[in-house]
Structure formats: structure tokens, C-alpha cells
Amino acid sequence: MPALDLSATSVDLTRTICDIPSVSGDEAALADAIEASLRDLPHLDLYRDGDTIVARTDRGRAQRVVIAGHIDTVPINGNVPTRDIALDGRPHIWGRGTVDMKAGVAVQLKLAAELVDPRVDITWMWYDHEEVDADLNGLTRLSATRPDLFAGDFAILGEPSNGEVEGGCNGNLRAIVRTNGVRSHSARAWVGENAIHKAAPVLARLAEYRPREVPVEGLLYREGLNAVRISGGVAGNVIPDLCEVEVNYRFAPSRTTEDAARHVRDVFAGFEVEVVDLAAGARPGLDAPLAQEFVAAVGAEPRPKYGWTDVARFSALGVPAVNYGPGDPHLAHHDEERVPVDQIEGVERGLRAWLTGS
């Protein structure tokens, strides 16, 4: 894979890297291109772990900022290669990854190449496997092998935020709620016990559930508890003996993971509940001096991040972190994923101005 042309505009870079498929588990080609494009830049120290690339300045500055973005996408569904479209006269780039989050990565790559003498030292991270289970995440792996690379006074994730600043993030829990029955022939259903029918109260509790809105450090986070998958059944003539309802709980960063797990078990009291994935949220961290400088410099009004992002990893390490990137998060993973060109340019201007003090 040839090196990327980092002298191109961030808009052109967005098109280029979106047209390099990098569905989770298949990021090597894009990682190779990123590494090749940065390898010969003398102001950056380069490190690679799997398909995660880290580039660092070392100018002896008093403060260090970590700026990160993931290079993988959800599966492609006829939306690569990219194409240029206009909506209400506003130019957009359409295609998989334009929102989540290759436009943000393009901005980061261009600035990494051009900011030879920033006012703070910068650790740039481009990592793999963000769109899948947390134990596969490139930052999970990197934090185990090189925790020193996460040191910083402030962190920015290039997750889509419509070019605004989104502080912290909700936590994320997935659990399986199980019901058990007894198999029998469906012609003699009274001999068995139908596990799918027993799941009706689980669904009723979900339908009746009213999620909270929780203020945390001046931002209002919205929670949610929803069924995302249901499975059960053996054959067309068998009463099923097992039904599983997978539920997803998005919880405010004021809750601990223990609180979140306890809450889900309370909601489904009387049922077997297995927590299968659990990640803490991140408090906004907007009281940190660098965070306040950043918000003022980019002229944004901070908002809460409802989805889980890797800002939580930095928050857990004591590094305040925010989300800041082009693209509407409502279009992440959407088949009509598209990013406004002016948001790409605006995020580049904002980051450049803050990192150079100009």
C-alpha cells in the first residue's frame, strides 16, 4: 500500500482513506498506508503495535495532549467508493467511514504532518478494532504493552460530534436475560413449558421502563435500556426450552459499572441475568484548564456524548478527554453516512488554531 499524500487537503484525504476498506479485522492496508506516510517525518517518533500507529512529538513542552482516532469501520454495504453529493447546496462526501470516523482521522493525519512545532507536545494515535468487542480494541492492547504512551494532560477523540465539543460519554452494558422451559412436541404443548412465552414479562418491563436524564457537571446525559436481540426456538414442531433477550443499557457517567450492573439485575429481578460486556462512562472533565482553553479556542458549546467512546479509557487513567470531530453521530453506521465538507474544514481550523496558539 503506497503512502498517503499528506500535502493534500483534509477533504481529499477523507476521500482517499474512506476508499481504502478497513472493516474491523481488516485494517492492515490502511495502517500500512498511514505508517508509510509518517515514517520519514523527522519531527515524529513512530511506534506500531499490530494495526495501531502512534506518532509523537518531543519538543520538551510543559504539557502533552493525546489526539486519537480509530481507523476501522462497520461493514460496507454498497457505500464504497465515496462520492460527492450536495444537500441543500452544501457539499458532502458520502460513503462508509465518512462520519465514523475517517474524516476525523484525515484531519489528524494532515495536522500531524504539518505541525512541526506545536505549542504542546502531541501524541497522535490511530487504532484498530474500535467497532467490535472491547477486548479486541487497539487501545486495550496498547495500554497493556505501552501504558506510558497514554500519558497526557488532556485527550481529544475525533469521534463525530458535528464539529462541536462533546464531553465525556455514557457507559455501556450488554446483558443476556434468560428464560428456561421444557421441550415437548408442539402438538402436545401442555407437556412442555414454552421459554419464549416466559420472556413476555421481560419485554413488558422494557416497554414500561422510563430512562433517566441525569445532570453531570453541567451536561445532561440521557440513559437508555433496550432489547437489541432475541433468540429462541428449536424447530417448527418443538416447544422451546430456552429464550435469550439481549439488552443494552446506556448509563450516565455518574454511575459506576457496579451500579449499572445492579440496576439491570434489579429491573429483571426474578430472571437469570448475565452481564456479557461492561464499559464505564467518562465524566465530562471540562473543568480541566486545557479543556477550557480548547473549548474557548474552537468556539464550541459543550454537549454530552450519549454513546460510549474511548474517552472513557483516558478518563479512567485520570486524563480528561472530549470528543471533537466532523460528522453527525446520528449518521454513524448508517447506509447514507455522509459528512459536510465545511465540517471537515472547520474541525481542522479549530484544532490547528488551538495547537499552534494562532
Side-chain angles (χ1 to χ4, degrees), residues 19 27 110 138 147-148:
D19 287 342
E27 299 97 328
K110 182 166 182 63
D148 56 298

Side-chain angles (χ1 to χ4, degrees), residues 198-211:
K198 288 185 175 183
V202 174
L203 300 179
R205 292 183 196 184
L206 285 165
E208 295 165 0
Y209 184 84
R210 295 295 176 262

Side-chain angles (χ1 to χ4, degrees), residues 5 16 34 41 107 113 129 141 145 154 201 273 351:
D5 179 8
T16 297
I34 291 172
L41 297 179
V107 168
H129 285 90
R141 186 179 64 248
T145 58
F154 183 51
V273 178
L351 279 173

Side-chain angles (χ1 to χ4, degrees), residues 157-168:
L157 269 290
E159 289 285 354
S161 63
N162 271 320
E164 301 291 339
V165 175
E166 292 185 336

Side-chain angles (χ1 to χ4, degrees), residues 3-27:
L4 302 169
D5 179 8
L6 299 187
S7 67
T9 67
S10 54
V11 173
D12 287 338
L13 272 174
T14 298
R15 296 187 186 97
T16 297
I17 65 175
C18 286
D19 287 342
I20 301 174
S22 60
V23 174
S24 302
D26 191 27
E27 299 97 328

Side-chain angles (χ1 to χ4, degrees), residues 7 11 20 27 41 66 87 97 108 111 124 131 135 141 150 159 164 181-182 196 200 228 230 240 269 286 338:
S7 67
V11 173
I20 301 174
E27 299 97 328
L41 297 179
V66 183
L87 294 173
Q108 294 169 2
L111 293 177
W124 304 94
E131 298 289 7
D135 59 345
R141 186 179 64 248
F150 289 77
E159 289 285 354
E164 301 291 339
V182 177
I196 292 178
V228 293
I230 187 167
L286 293 170
R338 58 190 181 268

Side-chain angles (χ1 to χ4, degrees), residues 233-246:
V234 180
N237 60 352
V238 177
I239 298 301
D241 60 344
L242 177 67
C243 183
E244 296 184 331
V245 181
E246 182 177 339

Side-chain angles (χ1 to χ4, degrees), residues 42 45 129 138 155-156 160 172 194 202 213 236 257 310 314:
D45 296 325
H129 285 90
I156 301 169
N172 184 31
N194 195 311
V202 174
E213 292 187 347
T257 53
D310 282 302
F314 292 95

